[in-house]
Amino acid sequence: MPGSQLKRLKASLREQGVVGPQQSKKQKRKVAQNGKVNTNKRAAALESIRQEFNPFDFKHNARGPKFQVTSNRPAVGDASKGISGRPGDAKAMGEERRRQTLLVEISRRNKTGGIRDQRFGENDVSMTYEEKMAQRFVREKQGHKTSMFDLEDDDAIDGLTHMGKSLSFPEQDDFDETDLLGSEGDDSGNDSGGNQPSLKRRRESDDAMDVDRPEEAVEGEPERKKSTQEIYKEIMAKSKMHKAERQAQKDEDEDLREELDQDLSDIHALLFTQSKPRAGEGDEAPSKPDPGREKMERDYDLRLRQLAMDRRAKPSDRTLTEEEIAQRDVEKLKLLEEKRQKRMRGEEISDEEGDEEEDATDAQPAAGNLGLFDADEDEDFKLGAGIRTRPTATELGFDDEDDFIVEDDLLASGSDLEPIESGSEDEDGSSAEDEDDEEDDEFTKGLLSEAEARDAAFSGETQTRKGIDDLSSCPETLEQLLDLSRNLAPEQIPSLVQKVRILYHPRLASENKTKLANFSRVLVQYLFHQSNLPSPPPFATLESIIRHLHSLAKSFSVEISVEFRSMIHDLTSRCLSPTLGDMVVLVAIGTIFPPSDAFHPVITPAMLQITRYLGQNVPKCTTDYVQGAFMGTLALHYLKISQRFCPEFFNFCLNSLTSLAPTKPMKKLGNFPQHEPASGIRVTGASKVEVRRLKVTDCAASPGSEKHDLSVRIAALDTIIQLLETASQLYAGKTSFIESFEPVVNALGHLTKGSSKSQLPAVLVEHAVKLQKRVQTMLNMSKLARRPLELHHHRPLAIKTAIPKFEDKFDPNRHYDADKDRADLAKLKAEHKRERKGAMRELRKDANFMAREKLRLKKQKDAAYEKKYKRLVAEIQGEEGREANAYDREVQARKRASKRR
């Protein structure tokens, strides 16, 4: 059984030599001689014993090492003993460090100024008083700068000096007799005076010798370094020399200036004094200036200024050949098509492309200009790009600046376009801008066809005279335009618009541009008003107004766009029941503006209204189907170039086919909404009805007889079949063609089979059969062309093999990772985690330390307060006791005195 702690402590003290048997005087004397060494050994021995007998000062791993490993890096120090830390020492060191830093900061918080003790070794307890004084003396001597005139210097001073020279007198007296005799001028005096020079001359010679002495260096020795006094003497001498030179130059300039001032009066007299007349000429009258010479000089000066103001001539471009003109037009068309394609894809057009387009526009035109477009159409108003992709007026036989064409499906019957004779072209090679102005002024040449020109209603002389009489001012409101056109026939309205554009051309007056801008807005309102009349004008008249709007939109695009947007906004409230004017406005929008743009301020909202009608309207009468067919035609017209998919169009067409079919299908024909038609809507008993084309007026016609209503439904059914045929050609290259047109084949098969076939006209059935076969063939081709998605074909990759990697200096406490970036990241994360935990631990310890210090200070203050309170209470009680005793003594004395009486 081991001994107690006391016995173990005594044994350890004896083993270390701290305690032992009693020493003799000789041993004590030897120990006293080596006292410091023995003291250090004694302290080290006591510290080791203290650590050995305090097991709580060490941190051990209670479970031992986690893994038993073999390494070429054996553990040393505390690690070999299984000690992983010393919490007691660490806590004591941290406490002391906080007392030296944090406690000082807390004590100096919210305090300014004060006296800081910067004495050497004042707070160092390891230094004795003598060591502190010696250290202070050494520092003081190191920082002290000696001087020649330092009063504390012990070195003796060799007399008084001035400017580094001694002020002591020489051995020979200045007041010698020879100095006095030298002034008499005798020979003896001169001789004696020459042998004994005066003090002033002796000093000057000494200075000269001192200056010249550095130059007389002894051979074999380095040149003596100049003293500060010699350097300052040289600087002063040079400064005086330069100052004397500047003063001499200034004196010379002053002398020259004075001499010039003296001669200036003679020069002034020569300049301002007229020469005297010669003898015999004084009686003659003074000569008068020659007027012809003055005029010639004025003309010369004027011509000289004109020549200076004239621009230099520039070489003109050579005339292009027909091949070069054609090549230029092809490049221009290519650039325009690229811009249209970018706008169709929704991409932004850079400024460099716009500059290239302007350079192409500014090229020299030939005498016979074969360009297909005007320069005005190149403006970035998003106008004309969609129209340019169509055949232009030049290709159709027109020679007019207003390239305009309306789809055949949208034209009323009998409004065929006739070739228009072109006016004579300018052959003098004028600029493109002048040609545009001439063509705009001669608008009448390209507006009327041959049949219209032969018609008496379009007689130029009569109608122009009548229009001029009626046009007292440019109509800027709808009421003014209605007043002007109230007494005119519908065929005369285009001529009225033409006369307004001619009489108020912007080049005739500056205010005409504003008037024509307002007229453009009014013309849009007039188009909408005329279309909504109970008896609307022929569509040819509306077509001519649209042509005028198309031409005006090149110059007043903002006004026309704003007006069209206003009408589209009004259409939103009645989108499911549009009027004929709304449809004509949609036609005009699709004709004037480019419908292929992905984002357009007018086209986009118009297309939204069309798709809203096709998708949300449930047909309840024949007019709804006619309006839907018209909206479907507009949708295809808007999407013809961009070829975007419109699901509302297919849903309406398929639903109309199933609703107008004589019989209801027995099964669902496709994945599209099928609405139950109203009673009497299905086409029955129409095998002998003639198939005709729909007219625009059918969209707003009131219900008529049963036969007429049946004819309109047959025409609507035929139009929808034609629209599906056009859509099949438009979307033939789409990947979703199979899913889009399989329901079309099923719906057409329902019309051409069973009882439905016998109740429909033969022409309609034949048209449906042809379309069904064509679409079926296209579906088969699309199925053959469609290939399922598959992975890329590549040769199989071999499994990566690598030689095992061995670490020569393996450390079990270190993590090894082949990926260097991942290893660095893991190392950084571990370091961040360790630092974060350490910072939190230090902050927690700082908070505890501050709390303990505050508590200690509070206890000290409370103790001082209690002590002071007790002292004051004791003093008061003592004072009260003394006063009470004095009072008692006084009472007793008075009682005794009264008794004695």
Side-chain angles (χ1 to χ4, degrees), residues 42-258:
R42 180 185 177 89
L46 290 176
E47 183 66 22
S48 62
I49 293 173
R50 188 180 297 109
Q51 293 178 0
E52 181 181 357
F53 279 86
N54 189 4
F56 301 102
D57 283 348
F58 302 100
K59 185 178 180 180
H60 300 271
N61 190 0
R63 301 180 181 178
K66 188 174 183 181
F67 299 106
Q68 295 294 335
V69 295
T70 302
S71 175
N72 57 357
R73 296 176 61 184
V76 294
D78 291 340
S80 60
K81 302 177 183 179
I83 299 174
S84 59
R86 299 173 180 267
D89 296 345
K91 184 177 181 180
M93 292 174 60
E95 193 78 9
E96 183 64 25
R97 185 173 61 254
R98 289 181 180 86
R99 289 186 182 280
Q100 296 176 0
T101 57
L102 187 59
L103 186 60
V104 174
E105 293 180 2
I106 295 174
S107 61
R108 294 184 59 84
R109 184 181 298 174
N110 300 328
K111 296 181 181 179
T112 56
I115 299 175
R116 298 181 62 183
D117 187 4
Q118 295 184 350
R119 292 176 294 178
F120 303 107
E122 182 64 22
N123 297 322
D124 193 354
V125 295
S126 62
M127 296 177 64
T128 62
Y129 180 76
E130 290 77 8
E131 292 176 350
K132 293 179 182 180
M133 298 303 294
Q135 184 69 19
R136 294 176 187 174
F137 180 76
V138 171
R139 292 292 183 89
E140 185 178 1
K141 283 298 182 182
Q142 289 177 353
H144 183 67
K145 296 182 179 179
T146 60
S147 177
M148 182 183 295
F149 306 102
D150 190 0
L151 298 179
E152 297 180 1
D153 194 0
D154 298 335
D155 297 339
I157 302 176
D158 298 335
L160 299 177
T161 59
H162 176 66
M163 300 285 297
K165 297 295 182 180
S166 176
L167 297 180
S168 61
F169 294 101
E171 296 179 359
Q172 187 176 3
D173 191 6
D174 292 339
F175 297 95
D176 199 358
E177 295 179 356
T178 57
D179 296 336
L180 300 176
L181 296 175
S183 61
E184 297 179 358
D186 56 349
D187 296 337
S188 61
N190 293 336
D191 295 339
S192 62
N195 294 331
Q196 295 178 356
S198 63
L199 178 62
K200 181 178 180 182
R201 293 182 180 178
R202 188 183 301 120
R203 287 176 180 174
E204 292 179 354
S205 62
D206 293 341
D207 294 342
M209 290 176 63
D210 292 339
V211 174
D212 297 338
R213 192 172 297 143
E215 298 179 0
E216 300 175 359
V218 183
E219 295 182 0
E221 294 182 1
E223 182 179 357
R224 185 179 65 84
K225 184 178 179 180
K226 293 182 180 181
S227 63
T228 306
Q229 181 181 3
E230 295 171 355
I231 293 173
Y232 277 109
K233 281 185 177 181
E234 290 183 3
I235 293 174
M236 292 170 63
K238 290 181 181 180
S239 176
K240 291 180 180 179
M241 183 184 66
H242 292 315
K243 184 177 181 180
E245 291 178 356
R246 291 195 299 270
Q247 185 65 28
Q249 183 66 29
K250 184 178 180 181
D251 295 341
E252 291 179 1
D253 295 342
E254 188 67 24
D255 296 340
L256 182 60
R257 190 180 300 107
E258 290 179 358

Side-chain angles (χ1 to χ4, degrees), residues 96 228 237 246 274 296 303 315 367 395 429 433 608 650 678 747 762 825 867 880:
E96 183 64 25
T228 306
R246 291 195 299 270
Q274 297 181 357
M296 181 182 67
R303 181 62 61 184
E395 297 174 354
E433 182 179 358
L608 289 176
F650 286 96
L825 181 61
K867 182 179 179 181
E880 290 179 351

Side-chain angles (χ1 to χ4, degrees), residues 415-428:
S415 61
D416 297 332
L417 295 173
E418 295 293 335
I420 301 176
E421 295 180 358
S422 61
S424 60
E425 297 179 353
D426 188 7
E427 298 179 356
D428 55 354

Side-chain angles (χ1 to χ4, degrees), residues 681-692:
I681 290 297
R682 294 190 180 276
V683 179
T684 55
S687 58
K688 298 181 180 180
V689 177
E690 182 180 358
V691 180
R692 66 177 183 86

Side-chain angles (χ1 to χ4, degrees), residues 798-817:
I799 300 175
K800 292 182 66 176
T801 58
I803 300 175
K805 183 179 179 181
F806 295 96
E807 291 290 340
D808 296 335
K809 298 180 179 180
F810 177 75
D811 187 2
N813 299 323
R814 179 183 173 187
H815 298 280
Y816 293 91
D817 194 346

